[in-house]
Amino acid sequence: MNDLAINLNVHSQTPLYEQIYSYIKNEIQTGGLPFRERLPSSRKLADYLQVSRTTVNQAYDQLVSEGYLEAVPQKGYFVCDLEGLIQLQPKPVMQASECDPAESAYTYDFSPHGVDLNSFPHNAWRKLSKDLLMEENKYLFRLGDPQGEPQLRSTIATYLHQARGVNAQPERIVVGAGNDFLLLLLCSMFGSGTKIAMESPTYRKAYDLFHNLSNDVRIVEMDESGMRVDELEKTDAQLAYVMPSHQYPLGTVMPLKRRMQLLAWAADERKRGSKDPGSERYIIEDDYDSEFRYKGKPIPALQGYDRADRVIYIGTFSRSIAPSIRVSYMVLPQRLMGLYQSRARNISSTVSRVDQMLIAGFLNQGYYERHLNRMRSVYRNRHDALLEELRAFRSICRVSGENAGVHLLLTFTNGMTEEEAIRRAAEQGVLVYGLSDYYLTQDARQYAGKSNMAQNTVLLGFANLTEQEIHESAGRLRSAWLA
């Protein structure tokens, strides 16, 4: 029988029973205490270590519950056979550069998906989290409403009406973990084989999701106003996926006239072959970053103009707060609620109730409004700094998409291709992104128009770069593209 010469630290913040437990566990794992070895009785070990017997019993009970020890009546505690027992080996702590996949060989990254994480409202988030979890809210750990928490849906409805002019009632809102999940939910409602019209270029993740779920994607040409409705009419699409407030990636803002044309397409009674709401035309409005606009007044959402109940509105907090805040929301037309109830309500909400209530508190207590105002100022300053730096490039390129969002486009007019521009920037330690990745055809030039944007345009996102970094990286781009 081993006497267990454990060196306890009475001044440590680690409880004594945990120190005893950790010592014995390590001895068993490393072979210091072999299989079937008998341990001292709890009374004997307590006397030897000069601690209470309760302390030793706590350590022994934990080891028994984890399968390291076996308690044999009238005989004592024995080491169990570790064969087949899962052993989790501790891993060394990784440095930020090792655990963050965003780290790369590039010094500056003009990612169009960037968010300023340094401005995340840590204090407010910490306070809300503490207040929420300090209360005995046991209900938060039960399975909630598949559509999302009623309090959050009510808060979102109020926010959307005031900020985006969206006509929304809480009972028509569905909360999900990211826009991708909500699009997946729509696909389950309409079924595979649905004909969906999309612009090109567009948000590739949405296209990939539709395509991978066996939907029939119809590509519709764009002009300076967005999706061409005359070309949309030539298709037999049932759904049209658009981003009217700030088209991604071109940055186009759809004017009112084109919006009305799009709504008329969806409401056209002559095109309906069935009275089933699931077979009628609808518009999916992805309003992913409407909070950030730098010229003119904010344009209300397309859904706010909809009188025929044809617009499916999707928004998210991932862009305005942080990407890991996987909380998005969808406002369904009233005529689709029956379809949702029959085909999708059996799918549980993918956002924890705790996170939903955090977001609700963040909005209700005014933190979100203050955070948005701060971020608008931060992004506007970076937007202006980048535009000022790009004045030096006017002889070789033109800028577009600069009126809203957190990225803009640079189209070269001196014959430089996208591929060459990316390569030269990379040689200077700067990462820029090509527009061609967002086109939906193998021959991207088919939808590039006379400007041939697909061959000679790069995207510059400025959200995750400070003003100083923008100035420094612009200097490197001058060396890359103007030398």
Side-chain angles (χ1 to χ4, degrees):
M1 181 172 66
N2 197 308
D3 287 333
L4 299 182
I6 306 173
N7 184 20
L8 296 179
N9 183 357
V10 296
H11 301 293
S12 172
Q13 293 184 350
T14 304
L16 294 177
Y17 86 90
E18 284 192 21
Q19 296 183 45
I20 299 171
Y21 154 81
S22 297
Y23 176 87
I24 297 175
K25 178 180 176 180
N26 182 67
E27 285 293 297
I28 294 173
Q29 288 180 338
T30 57
L33 287 173
F35 174 43
R36 293 181 179 173
E37 177 77 10
R38 182 184 176 186
L39 271 67
S41 68
S42 59
R43 185 186 301 276
K44 181 176 180 181
L45 185 58
D47 290 342
Y48 176 74
L49 297 176
Q50 295 185 342
V51 297
S52 71
R53 188 176 178 185
T54 301
T55 298
V56 176
N57 280 332
Q58 280 184 285
Y60 277 0
D61 288 346
Q62 184 64 33
L63 290 163
V64 169
S65 68
E66 293 183 12
Y68 288 98
L69 295 182
E70 178 185 9
V72 180
Q74 307 301 321
K75 292 186 178 180
Y77 293 93
F78 295 83
V79 177
C80 291
D81 185 2
L82 287 186
E83 184 177 354
L85 185 66
I86 297 176
Q87 299 182 51
L88 299 178
Q89 300 298 329
K91 294 183 178 180
V93 178
M94 300 177 68
Q95 299 298 318
S97 59
E98 296 177 292
C99 61
D100 188 354
E103 294 288 337
S104 68
Y106 296 96
T107 306
Y108 304 101
D109 183 356
F110 278 97
S111 171
H113 308 291
V115 172
D116 180 16
L117 297 180
N118 292 324
S119 297
F120 182 80
H122 289 282
N123 291 336
W125 207 259
R126 188 180 300 110
K127 178 183 181 301
L128 289 168
S129 300
K130 181 180 179 181
D131 292 345
L132 186 64
L133 295 176
M134 280 185 65
E135 300 174 9
E136 293 187 4
N137 296 322
K138 296 179 181 179
Y139 77 93
L140 291 177
F141 300 97
R142 301 191 185 103
L143 196 62
D145 190 317
Q147 284 185 238
E149 291 301 289
Q151 182 175 338
L152 175 59
R153 289 189 280 125
S154 179
T155 301
I156 290 174
T158 301
Y159 164 72
L160 290 178
H161 178 70
Q162 296 175 352
R164 301 294 299 129
V166 171
N167 299 312
Q169 292 80 43
E171 58 270 18
R172 294 196 289 119
I173 294 177
V174 180
V175 175
N179 289 16
D180 299 338
F181 169 77
L182 297 177
L183 294 177
L184 181 67
L185 207 63
L186 285 176
C187 290
S188 70
M189 290 170 56
F190 286 94
S192 61
T194 301
K195 298 177 177 62
I196 305 174
M198 299 190 74
E199 303 156 320
S200 184
T202 191
Y203 177 48
R204 280 304 293 244
K205 288 187 69 175
Y207 167 78
D208 291 340
L209 187 146
F210 291 144
H211 179 74
N212 293 337
L213 291 176
S214 301
N215 292 290
D216 189 355
V217 178
R218 306 299 173 91
I219 301 173
V220 179
E221 290 188 43
M222 293 179 62
D223 59 19
E224 65 278 0
S225 296
M227 180 180 282
R228 290 181 52 180
V229 180
D230 58 335
E231 293 296 326
L232 176 61
E233 288 281 7
K234 296 177 183 179
T235 73
D236 55 352
Q238 180 185 359
L239 302 177
Y241 174 87
V242 293
M243 296 162 275
S245 295
H246 187 237
Q247 200 273 349
Y248 189 85
L250 294 183
T252 303
V253 177
M254 185 179 290
L256 184 58
K257 181 178 179 180
R258 181 61 55 84
R259 294 177 182 225
M260 295 299 103
Q261 293 172 344
L262 196 57
L263 289 171
W265 167 85
D268 193 343
E269 297 279 349
R270 297 169 300 173
K271 302 299 182 180
R272 299 183 198 168
S274 168
K275 292 187 179 297
D276 175 16
S279 64
E280 296 172 337
R281 289 175 171 177
Y282 294 94
I283 299 166
I284 302 174
E285 178 182 12
D286 190 341
D287 205 26
Y288 71 100
D289 73 347
S290 59
E291 296 89 357
F292 306 115
R293 184 170 177 79
Y294 312 109
K295 183 178 181 181
K297 296 181 179 180
I299 299 177
L302 175 67
Q303 195 266 11
Y305 296 102
D306 179 26
R307 299 296 177 265
D309 202 29
R310 302 289 175 185
V311 177
I312 302 165
Y313 179 90
I314 296 179
T316 182
F317 294 110
S318 295
R319 200 70 159 166
S320 55
I321 303 178
S324 64
I325 308 298
R326 303 297 296 163
V327 180
S328 294
Y329 44 87
M330 174 169 64
V331 182
L332 289 170
Q334 183 61 46
R335 64 194 320 116
L336 282 180
M337 287 308 299
L339 193 66
Y340 169 78
Q341 296 290 344
S342 63
R343 298 186 181 180
R345 187 171 170 80
N346 62 328
I347 302 175
S348 300
S349 176
T350 50
V351 182
S352 77
R353 301 179 80 181
V354 173
D355 288 337
Q356 291 186 56
M357 294 307 294
L358 272 173
I359 293 289
F362 195 65
L363 269 70
N364 284 329
Q365 297 184 35
Y367 292 115
Y368 185 60
E369 181 180 2
R370 293 193 290 273
H371 175 68
L372 269 185
N373 289 336
R374 182 169 62 253
M375 296 315 301
R376 287 189 183 110
S377 176
V378 169
Y379 289 155
R380 178 181 289 277
N381 290 338
R382 296 177 184 182
H383 164 273
D384 294 347
L386 181 56
L387 284 180
E388 182 63 30
E389 289 291 347
L390 292 179
R391 289 177 178 272
F393 299 86
R394 284 181 296 181
S395 62
I396 65 167
C397 63
R398 66 174 183 274
V399 176
S400 59
E402 73 276 19
N403 294 334
V406 292
H407 80 276
L408 47 80
L409 293 87
L410 214 60
T411 302
F412 293 95
T413 57
N414 64 341
M416 188 184 302
T417 65
E418 167 195 299
E419 183 179 2
E420 183 181 1
I422 293 174
R423 177 182 57 79
R424 288 190 180 186
E427 291 172 353
Q428 295 292 329
V430 181
L431 180 59
V432 299
Y433 297 77
L435 179 62
S436 63
D437 291 339
Y438 299 91
Y439 280 86
L440 302 184
T441 57
Q442 290 183 347
D443 183 5
R445 290 170 294 180
Q446 179 180 353
Y447 293 100
K450 294 181 180 180
S451 64
N452 206 16
M453 289 183 67
Q455 283 190 310
N456 55 11
T457 300
V458 296
L459 281 69
L460 299 180
F462 49 83
N464 61 348
L465 293 175
T466 65
E467 291 179 55
Q468 180 63 31
E469 289 172 333
I470 288 173
H471 294 309
E472 294 171 356
S473 58
R476 297 197 182 196
L477 291 180
R478 283 193 292 272
S479 299
W481 295 339
L482 294 177

